[in-house]
Amino acid sequence: MSLRPLLLAAAAIPAILAFSAPVSAAELKAVASFTVLADVVHQVGGDKVRVATLVGPDGDPHEFEPSPSDAKKLKEADVVFVSGEGLEGWMDRLISASGFKGKPVTVSEGVNTRTMEEDGKTVTDPHVWNSPVNVKVWVANIEKALSAADPADAATFKANADAYTKKLEAMDAYARDKIGKIPEDRRKVLTSHDAFGYFGREYKVTFLAPLGVSTESEASATDVAKLIDQIKAEHVKVYFFENSNDPRLVKQVAKATGAEPGGELYVESLSKPKGPTPTYEKMFRFNVDQLAGAMSKGS
């Protein structure tokens, strides 16, 4: 046999293999309700999933007003993720307006939630992501939903979820180490609204706030006066602003109590890509550093 037919046959092999190889599945379209959740979906989905967020960077998920472009995003989505526990009060209206036919995946299902009193009612605290222990539950729910939507890439989603869960465990250990060095009687902080309950529960930090779980609530003069008395009685030394809401009330309380500014915390929203907290991991570690640094000065 001459060399030429052999060369031609060899050259044809890659083309035959390429033709016979299964075509990769189209990129899955996912929509997440807000930036923190969008980032965690991205960590699990990797390059197999294109993730869009409804509430953008530095946005407040409590007071979000959806636009027609949000309805379009939702209608085109293969899978939609919400945190749940009352955070996204606007989602049902948006689903109706968009014509989205699926059911959103509630990633906080299975989290050991905490309840609190607000306006005479018992409510569930929706800010579960401020503890990476809870976000491990998110990751398991996200992996399950993505694998159901795209079974061909289930192994990739599992590998990504396992790797990210290890990161979450490292974040939890980091917080325990940093905050564990501060005497418990110094672990007291004033913030804008009651969004750090899960962080407080996990790392034994007391957070005081003029507003409840939602920034839509309004603090009465009596509530603010009680808070000022409590802060004085408990010798709270430091206060923080939040990137996604109005700082005026916390400034007013701080002025009346003598608490010093500790900086800004990222509570319900990531920063823009060039900001200090463009991912959930960076956001959590940034908050730990800010809080630990401020509480250490007080001690």
Side-chain angles (χ1 to χ4, degrees):
M1 188 177 181
S2 73
L3 190 59
R4 182 176 167 76
L6 277 173
L7 288 171
L8 286 171
I13 287 170
I16 292 165
L17 288 175
F19 185 77
S20 60
V23 177
S24 63
E27 202 176 36
L28 206 61
K29 287 181 185 171
V31 168
S33 54
F34 68 122
T35 52
V36 178
L37 178 51
D39 179 60
V40 180
V41 173
H42 170 67
Q43 301 298 332
V44 179
D47 60 5
K48 306 291 183 186
V49 181
R50 189 163 80 240
V51 189
T53 183
L54 296 173
V55 184
D58 296 317
D60 182 344
H62 297 288
E63 297 190 334
F64 179 63
E65 292 290 342
S67 67
S69 66
D70 295 317
K72 187 170 183 285
K73 276 184 202 171
L74 213 61
K75 187 170 186 181
E76 293 172 354
D78 297 307
V79 58
V80 174
F81 293 96
V82 295
S83 181
E85 306 303 343
L87 180 73
E88 301 97 344
W90 38 266
M91 183 55 90
D92 287 345
R93 297 193 308 275
L94 180 57
I95 287 170
S96 297
S98 71
F100 175 68
K101 300 297 181 196
K103 186 184 174 192
V105 177
T106 303
V107 296
S108 297
E109 257 177 33
V111 168
N112 175 21
T113 54
R114 64 186 285 273
T115 56
M116 53 198 296
E117 292 297 314
E118 187 166 279
D119 298 329
K121 296 177 188 169
T122 301
V123 296
T124 300
D125 182 354
H127 305 93
V128 300
W129 58 89
N130 283 317
S131 160
V133 174
N134 294 339
V135 176
K136 287 164 69 173
V137 176
W138 274 19
V139 168
N141 288 331
I142 291 165
E143 183 209 332
K144 184 178 174 186
L146 292 178
S147 297
D150 176 14
D153 289 315
T156 299
F157 300 143
K158 183 174 190 321
N160 291 347
D162 289 348
Y164 194 60
T165 297
K166 287 193 174 76
K167 277 191 179 179
L168 293 170
E169 287 165 353
M171 289 155 62
D172 177 46
Y174 180 76
R176 289 183 194 284
D177 177 59
K178 292 273 286 193
I179 291 168
K181 292 170 181 167
I182 299 161
E184 274 195 46
D185 66 339
R186 296 290 183 175
R187 297 183 207 168
K188 294 172 184 172
V189 176
L190 171 65
T191 57
S192 301
H193 84 295
D194 203 343
F196 274 101
Y198 292 98
F199 188 104
R201 182 175 77 180
E202 209 65 61
Y203 309 114
K204 297 184 170 59
V205 178
T206 299
F207 289 91
L208 302 166
L211 296 179
V213 295
S214 172
T215 52
E216 291 179 300
S217 63
E218 288 188 12
S220 69
T222 307
D223 291 338
V224 172
K226 277 184 188 169
L227 181 64
I228 287 167
D229 290 343
Q230 186 183 0
I231 287 166
K232 285 177 177 174
E234 296 194 24
H235 307 292
V236 175
K237 304 288 187 190
V238 65
Y239 70 91
F240 284 92
F241 306 125
E242 296 170 18
N243 71 312
S244 53
N245 54 59
D246 191 332
R248 282 176 296 181
L249 184 55
V250 74
K251 278 185 175 177
Q252 178 192 333
V253 173
K255 189 176 179 184
T257 60
E260 294 292 322
E264 186 174 53
L265 298 175
Y266 286 77
V267 184
E268 300 172 322
S269 170
L270 303 181
S271 68
K272 293 180 176 68
K274 290 186 178 176
T277 65
T279 67
Y280 170 63
E281 182 181 10
K282 286 185 176 175
M283 167 183 153
F284 182 78
R285 289 176 181 270
F286 178 89
N287 287 342
V288 169
D289 289 346
Q290 291 281 87
L291 289 163
M295 291 187 292
S296 295
K297 282 178 192 170
S299 62

